[in-house]
Amino acid sequence: MDSVGSVVLSLDAELGWGFHDLERLPSDRVESGRSGWTTMLELCAEYDVPATWAVVGHLMLDACDGVHEGHPTPEGWFARERDEWADREEFRFAPDLVGGVLEADVDHELASHSFSHVLFGRPETDSELATAEIRRSLEIADEWGQSIDSFVYPRNDIGHREILAENGITAYRGRSPTYDGVRGFVDSTVRSRSMLVEPEIDEHGLVDVPASLFLFGFEGPARTVAESIWEDPMVVQAQRGIDQAARSDGLFHMWLHPNNLTHERDDRRMRAILAYLDRRRAETDLTVETIGGVAHRFDAVSRIEDEAIVVDGDD
């Protein structure tokens, strides 16, 4: 893939839907979903960083009965929406926040994160359910006048890729060795292992744009200790990945959930990363892309290369 280096930022925008199937809820993250979303929109605007916002389709609704009759989810899947969250619409709906993404001056990409955060790799998620989740999210986006090219799997649980292709999705965020936590910090910083990834076209014709780094993978006591004697380890890792992309024609793909921003220090982390990205972009040929943008560019280059091979073969 002959190009200058690039960076992708993708966000799993889910509010309460990211947790509604869990018995015990991370209350700080559930309550921080909206503020984190707003903060990330503001930071992206400040540093002119286009991002892929993978949105749970239900958030684009204004209202619902919480029943979703005919949607083939397991019994009880929408129970929390009907019961505990019946009067917590701010966890279930977010047309205002989605509108903020679409109306931003920055050219963000709207991607799908399914309709209700079903896990596609689970045995109980059959093709009927996977198809319903994808089609419902696409239908709602179409009602907003939006087309969807990219998909981010809930909890990165990959499955039913053929159904993405059948429904017009062209790209998804794939898995790759990540550099989260203490071990990842050692690998990327001490051992200087590359955090760059290479998109590829899978057997279904989809462009897999793998993740490089989850930006909230070094948390808890380890983070507190590291910050007290040095600096935020995730900022260090992100800067290293950005530098690697700036020095090459490779791709560095970092991701997070807006609800990861639960404290001011999380806001500071993201500001430091985006400010550094903006500075390195100004100093080099580094570009910032979306998943869909990378997929379009990669697919175009692949077609040109395939045509060249055909011509050579004719000679």
Side-chain angles (χ1 to χ4, degrees):
M1 193 168 173
D2 187 16
S3 65
V4 297
S6 65
V7 173
V8 169
L9 173 66
S10 58
L11 300 99
D12 299 13
E14 52 197 34
L15 297 187
W17 292 100
F19 312 101
H20 76 108
D21 58 321
L22 303 180
E23 184 175 347
R24 298 183 63 181
L25 300 177
S27 59
D28 57 341
R29 290 185 60 189
V30 174
E31 296 289 348
S32 298
R34 283 185 160 269
S35 61
W37 190 316
T38 299
T39 297
M40 285 306 304
L41 270 178
E42 292 172 349
L43 289 174
C44 286
E46 180 177 352
Y47 294 105
D48 192 25
V49 172
T52 294
W53 290 78
V55 176
V56 169
H58 193 289
L59 296 176
M60 301 175 72
L61 299 175
D62 293 308
C64 74
D65 59 8
V67 177
H68 304 288
E69 186 174 355
H71 196 68
T73 47
E75 184 178 355
W77 181 252
F78 293 105
R80 182 166 261 133
E81 182 185 20
R82 294 191 301 272
D83 301 330
E84 183 180 344
W85 287 352
D87 61 347
R88 299 301 302 269
E89 293 190 353
E90 69 272 23
F91 297 160
R92 302 160 53 206
F93 309 110
D96 55 328
L97 295 177
V98 177
V101 173
L102 299 178
E103 295 163 9
D105 292 334
V106 182
D107 192 17
H108 295 303
E109 176 188 19
L110 179 67
S112 174
H113 199 38
S114 79
F115 171 65
S116 64
H117 210 264
V118 161
L119 305 184
F120 278 57
R122 295 286 180 88
E124 60 268 27
T125 302
D126 58 16
S127 60
E128 180 187 14
L129 176 53
T131 298
E133 281 283 299
I134 292 170
R135 288 184 178 173
R136 186 68 182 113
S137 65
L138 297 181
E139 288 170 359
I140 297 169
D142 184 64
E143 292 170 4
W144 280 62
Q146 301 295 316
S147 60
I148 300 292
D149 295 320
S150 304
F151 190 84
V152 170
Y153 282 95
R155 296 186 195 145
N156 296 303
D157 196 5
I158 295 175
H160 297 289
R161 287 174 296 153
E162 72 286 354
I163 295 176
L164 268 62
E166 291 168 3
N167 285 276
I169 301 295
T170 59
Y172 65 96
R173 188 179 71 203
R175 288 191 293 257
S176 73
T178 57
Y179 296 92
D180 318 333
V182 176
R183 179 177 178 181
F185 181 73
V186 171
D187 280 347
S188 65
T189 306
V190 179
R191 297 174 183 167
S192 297
R193 289 180 58 185
S194 175
M195 288 189 284
L196 303 182
V197 294
E198 181 65 35
E200 63 180 12
I201 298 178
D202 71 12
E203 64 270 30
H204 304 291
L206 299 167
V207 180
D208 174 0
V209 184
S212 300
L213 179 68
F214 174 46
L215 293 175
F216 285 82
F218 197 118
E219 306 308 305
R223 174 183 179 180
T224 301
V225 171
E227 288 180 334
S228 68
I229 60 176
W230 190 31
E231 58 182 306
D232 186 335
M234 295 309 298
V235 172
V236 173
Q237 288 178 278
Q239 290 175 343
R240 184 171 292 275
I242 292 167
D243 286 342
Q244 289 173 354
R247 293 193 300 264
S248 71
D249 63 354
L251 170 67
F252 175 60
H253 183 178
M254 50 188 178
W255 70 279
L256 73 154
H257 312 85
N259 60 43
N260 288 128
L261 279 63
T262 60
H263 298 91
E264 287 186 10
R265 70 175 187 170
D266 303 322
D267 299 355
R268 290 195 297 270
R269 168 182 288 178
M270 293 311 305
R271 175 177 291 279
I273 291 170
L274 296 193
Y276 189 79
L277 173 59
D278 185 48
R279 178 163 67 84
R280 293 295 284 146
R281 178 175 54 184
E283 296 170 344
T284 67
D285 292 329
L286 184 70
T287 63
V288 181
E289 301 180 281
T290 61
I291 290 175
V294 171
H296 178 76
R297 177 166 57 85
F298 183 76
D299 190 44
V301 169
S302 296
R303 285 199 304 270
I304 291 171
E305 291 175 347
D306 290 343
E307 290 170 2
I309 291 173
V310 171
V311 171
D312 289 343
D314 290 342
D315 292 343

